[in-house]
Amino acid sequence: RIPYSADPLDYDALAHHICFRSVYSSLISDYKLGEIKGVVASRWSVSDDKTRWTFFIRNGLFFSNNDQITSKDVALSLTRTALKMKFLDSNSGLLEHLMGYSTLQKANQNIDGISYDQDSVTLKFSKPMPDLLEKITFGLYAIISPKNYDEETGEWKNKKTIISSGPYEISSWTDTQLNIKLRDNYPKDLLLTKPIKEAVYLFDQKNINSSDLIIDFDDSLAVDDKY
């Protein structure tokens, strides 16, 4: 499970689920069983026909470089994701239904389906999206800093760096291990009561037996039954 990219567009690889889910923040989260919780969004509303969703952006939330996360950042992040998925011909059942999606050509382009004001971001769809909350929690739709990608093409600048929007940030990354650490400027009310301060992911085979946790399938041959 060796990660190769911090770009949320590469999130489908299992290694990135494991290593980077706490490095990204999405608008909302459903990781607590039976609960949908606001993260970048503090609250949201939806039209009766489920075609218009508005997310109110949380105040006082920052990227790891101390830039405040604004509604414009959120709108640009989702526009960039829509653009890249369009060019990859990747339909996930969400962003391709945005109003104006067919006209999208640049990551900083305004389309009818994504608008924002000082406090909120509104998504408008060509069809009802009753399950939007369940879909938009996925790491693919994580909110990212515009400084991580080209403003027009949406290309990620460096696959092994990211300005974190989540509670953890990458502190080092080599061929054999990845270190992430808890950020100092992430809201305490969005953290667990006793959060892990640092995690080290080891990719070298010789380190498997000395690891505290191994993420693998039940029939893994990485260790014996005594582990």
Side-chain angles (χ1 to χ4, degrees):
R1 313 288 178 238
I2 301 176
Y4 56 85
S5 169
D7 183 350
L9 281 173
D10 295 316
Y11 187 69
D12 279 347
L14 181 56
H16 302 149
H17 287 250
I18 296 167
C19 294
F20 297 136
R21 194 61 191 91
S22 57
V23 174
Y24 311 140
S25 277
S26 299
L27 282 167
I28 58 176
S29 170
D30 63 353
Y31 272 73
K32 185 175 182 180
L33 190 62
E35 179 182 338
I36 294 179
K37 180 180 181 180
V39 185
V40 174
S42 59
R43 58 189 177 90
W44 52 91
S45 63
V46 60
S47 62
D48 291 340
D49 64 0
K50 304 294 192 298
T51 63
R52 180 186 178 103
W53 290 81
T54 297
F55 294 89
F56 298 88
I57 306 308
R58 186 181 300 276
N59 290 323
L61 196 60
F62 295 84
F63 291 111
S64 57
N65 66 347
N66 291 317
D67 287 347
Q68 184 166 353
I69 300 178
T70 66
S71 55
K72 181 179 180 180
D73 294 329
V74 173
L76 286 172
S77 181
L78 294 174
T79 302
R80 181 255 177 183
T81 302
L83 174 77
K84 297 298 290 181
M85 292 182 71
K86 179 185 177 183
F87 287 167
L88 291 168
D89 198 23
S90 175
N91 295 329
S92 65
L94 182 59
L95 299 184
E96 68 267 25
H97 300 301
L98 287 166
M99 299 292 291
Y101 178 81
S102 62
T103 68
L104 186 58
Q105 295 294 324
K106 294 182 179 180
N108 56 1
Q109 181 180 334
N110 294 323
I111 60 172
D112 291 341
I114 303 178
S115 60
Y116 67 93
D117 58 24
Q118 184 174 350
D119 304 311
S120 66
V121 174
T122 296
L123 306 178
K124 291 185 289 185
F125 297 92
S126 59
K127 57 177 284 186
M129 300 296 293
D131 57 350
L132 178 139
L133 295 180
E134 287 77 12
K135 288 181 176 178
I136 210 165
T137 62
F138 192 57
L140 179 70
Y141 308 108
I143 305 307
I144 52 175
S145 167
K147 293 180 178 178
N148 278 132
Y149 57 88
D150 183 273
E151 64 178 7
E152 290 196 356
T153 66
E155 285 297 309
W156 201 258
K157 292 179 178 178
N158 184 336
K159 290 284 190 177
K160 287 203 169 184
T161 62
I162 184 171
I163 298 169
S164 170
S165 60
Y168 291 81
E169 62 183 332
I170 298 171
S171 55
S172 65
W173 188 353
T174 69
D175 291 339
T176 57
Q177 74 179 58
L178 168 75
N179 293 40
I180 65 172
K181 65 178 182 179
L182 187 65
R183 288 172 48 195
D184 294 330
N185 62 343
Y186 198 80
K188 299 296 187 288
D189 61 324
L190 294 178
L191 296 173
L192 297 172
T193 305
K194 296 181 179 180
I196 292 171
K197 298 295 179 64
E198 184 176 18
V200 179
Y201 300 94
L202 303 171
F203 314 130
D204 196 321
Q205 188 174 0
K206 69 180 184 337
N207 291 317
I208 288 177
N209 285 299
S210 62
S211 297
D212 299 311
L213 276 170
I214 294 174
I215 302 173
D216 210 339
F217 298 102
D218 291 343
D219 58 355
S220 171
L221 300 177
V223 291
D224 59 29
D225 293 338
K226 296 177 183 179
Y227 182 82

